[in-house]
Amino acid sequence: MMKPVNTDAYSMILEAIDIGQYRPGDRLVESELADRFGMSRTPIREALQRLETQSLLARDGRSLIVASLDHNQMAELYVVRGELEGLAANLAARHATAEEVRVLREMVQADNKLLNDPAAMARANRRFHKQIHLASHNRYLVQQLDLVHRSMALMATTTLAAEGRAEIAQQEHDAIVRAIEAGDGAAAGAALREHISVAFMTRLKLDAARREEEG
């Protein structure tokens, strides 16, 4: 039985999807999840209903499976993510405390040691972006970005696994933090939007390669 960090069924299932323990197309069964997380089926059922309402799970006959994103949904998600993340960086440059800025700088430095571990880099990347969201000091923006990042969990692979992407992403993170350190909101927003744009292009290339292999 998996020992969870969280005790909330919704958060635990969402985290399992986010870190790839359950991937798009995987079937989620109440009884199996209850055993896995060591809780009764009632909170599991409620969590599954909530995730289905949020379109993170889909129906396959009578079963619930982890949803997947088609090309258009993915493109739409990246557009929204780029704009919201850019706004968060812009606000962070103007409103972040000195301590929050130092934490961002330390994150970039620490993450340079993870370049050969895509899974660890993906987790570190999520922490980095979340820190920028919080540094924006805008609770409504943070809420919207949480929704976007939940949907990002439906992408089965991380772009950081692509050859050379982790190193480039770290350079992009450094540029974002430098703009925030300088208090330049416009530059920080532009740097983060460019970061998301490059990630999207990498995603498109990965998907094209996968289709070629399958075809």
Side-chain angles (χ1 to χ4, degrees):
M1 184 188 300
M2 175 181 174
K3 186 176 181 181
V5 175
N6 298 303
T7 56
D8 171 62
Y10 170 83
S11 297
M12 289 191 293
I13 297 171
L14 185 61
E15 182 180 12
I17 295 171
D18 192 37
I19 63 177
Q21 290 177 342
Y22 295 111
R23 294 179 175 273
D26 284 354
R27 194 162 152 261
L28 298 185
V29 180
E30 274 183 31
S31 57
E32 293 175 1
L33 290 167
D35 289 341
R36 181 183 185 94
F37 296 121
M39 59 177 59
S40 71
R41 292 175 64 167
T42 299
I44 295 292
R45 185 179 306 116
E46 292 171 351
L48 292 176
Q49 290 171 347
R50 184 178 171 190
L51 289 163
E52 183 182 8
T53 299
Q54 295 173 340
S55 299
L56 294 175
L57 301 182
R59 287 281 169 184
D60 181 19
R62 296 183 64 184
S63 300
L64 277 174
I65 62 172
V66 179
S68 57
L69 300 175
D70 62 26
H71 176 83
N72 288 338
Q73 288 172 310
M74 181 177 67
E76 291 163 8
L77 185 59
Y78 269 101
V79 167
V80 172
R81 185 186 176 196
E83 291 302 313
L84 293 181
E85 293 262 16
L87 176 57
N90 188 317
L91 292 175
R94 291 188 274 154
H95 302 303
T97 66
E99 292 81 5
E100 287 172 322
V101 175
R102 282 202 296 272
V103 167
L104 285 169
R105 172 53 62 197
E106 289 173 3
M107 282 181 168
V108 173
Q109 293 169 345
D111 295 348
N112 285 329
K113 300 175 183 177
L114 305 175
L115 293 176
N116 296 318
D117 187 341
M121 277 295 294
R123 290 191 296 271
N125 183 65
R126 286 192 291 272
R127 287 194 298 271
F128 176 80
H129 282 269
K130 180 67 174 183
Q131 185 64 31
I132 291 176
H133 304 168
L134 295 173
S136 74
H137 292 272
N138 187 304
R139 71 193 71 182
Y140 301 105
L141 179 57
V142 172
Q143 289 171 359
Q144 294 306 309
L145 280 163
D146 283 347
L147 291 173
V148 168
H149 277 259
R150 270 183 231 156
S151 296
M152 293 295 296
L154 298 178
M155 296 180 188
T157 57
T158 172
T159 57
L160 294 168
E163 184 176 355
R165 175 59 191 150
E167 291 85 354
I168 293 171
Q170 279 297 99
Q171 294 169 14
E172 292 165 353
H173 283 185
D174 178 70
I176 294 163
V177 175
R178 277 191 280 110
I180 292 174
E181 287 170 333
D184 190 336
L192 215 160
R193 285 193 297 273
E194 176 64 16
H195 173 56
I196 300 302
S197 176
V198 174
F200 183 31
M201 288 190 290
T202 304
R203 172 76 58 190
L204 292 174
K205 291 175 184 176
L206 288 173
D207 284 359
R210 176 181 52 77
R211 287 195 298 273
E212 186 177 354
E213 289 176 1
E214 293 174 351

